[in-house]
Amino acid sequence: MAQIEVTKLPDAEPRPRQVAIGTFDGVHRGHQAVIEGADTVLTFDPHPLEVLHPAALPKLIMPFGVKRDVIEGLGVGELVVIPFDAEFAKRSAEDFIEHVLIEKLGAERVSVGENFRFGARAKGDPAMLAARAEFATRVVPLVEVDGETVSSTRIRALIAAGDMAGARHCLDAPFMVEGTVVEGDQRGRELGFPTANIVPDDRLAIPGHGVFAAFADGVPAAVNVGVRPTFDSGRGVLIETYLIDRDEDLYGRTLRVAFVERLRGERRFAGVEELIAQMRIDVEDAKQVCASFTGAP
């Protein structure tokens, strides 16, 4: 499959395009409904709130690399990225339609969610797009899962609660984190469970503390998210991934962890023996969960 082409807006060449527009954090089921049938996705990086209201910026569900890959998996050929800054934020909705959608992108069809707003002071809305004759406009209603609207806010809450099945149901895929494997203090190796450790990016959502069954680069894994209460290490939060039946040096590599199910909450153990006994149970539990995982949301 051809790799998705990532183009910064200033570098885009005009051509006939079917464009889906949105921030698309999480690329959840609602976003997928907007993207369906588009050959081009127009998105923003950084997230507009990072520029407009940094204090209101939520934890992002996906780093850009994961978002790009998920959008590619939907069959989209091009990802056009608006480098969002204070200057771009001043552009009027009319200017966005004229100079971005029509002039720069050659949009023949534009697809947005019903709650999409754009332009200075968010004055642009789907009705303004639909009023234009230069392109067809498709306005997609909000999508519901289990009787409740799917939104990035809802998914963030599910992730924070450790509800991986709930998040997966809304995302239509497992929730993923990605990061560079850093040198730990070798404690896992001493205990017989060497882990690949990622220090999570503070701007991104991570699961509530606990032990999870997951896939790390496709390999079944037991993952601990937390601060390791049995050892007063004084460290911040770590994502510690034990790849089951696989021993390789991952230092410096980028690891992508797809969370399947929370096995238990974070606990302090009386001693190392008790911790090791529990880790053996966790690994067995994770192995079983991964073996029975079908990938279905």
Side-chain angles (χ1 to χ4, degrees), residues 57-112:
L57 179 70
K59 298 280 189 187
L60 298 180
I61 296 166
M62 280 181 174
F64 183 80
V66 175
K67 180 159 88 168
R68 176 201 61 219
D69 292 352
V70 172
I71 289 171
E72 179 178 14
L74 298 174
V76 173
E78 185 183 24
L79 183 59
V80 177
V81 180
I82 293 170
F84 197 83
D85 56 18
E87 201 53 46
F88 195 90
K90 291 179 194 155
R91 296 176 75 158
S92 70
E94 291 83 359
D95 177 82
F96 180 80
I97 293 171
E98 290 285 345
H99 297 293
V100 175
L101 296 182
I102 298 170
E103 196 178 295
K104 197 75 177 143
L105 298 182
E108 292 188 335
R109 189 185 74 150
V110 172
S111 178
V112 294

Side-chain angles (χ1 to χ4, degrees), residues 255-295:
L255 191 67
R256 190 172 287 185
V257 181
F259 289 85
V260 177
E261 189 180 303
R262 190 179 200 216
L263 301 173
R264 62 175 178 85
E266 194 169 45
R267 290 217 305 271
R268 181 184 283 275
F269 294 92
V272 172
E273 287 75 18
E274 196 182 323
L275 172 62
I276 291 172
Q278 182 60 54
M279 287 166 84
R280 289 201 178 105
I281 294 167
D282 294 339
V283 167
E284 277 311 309
D285 288 348
K287 204 185 268 190
Q288 286 184 1
V289 168
C290 290
S292 63
F293 182 63
T294 61

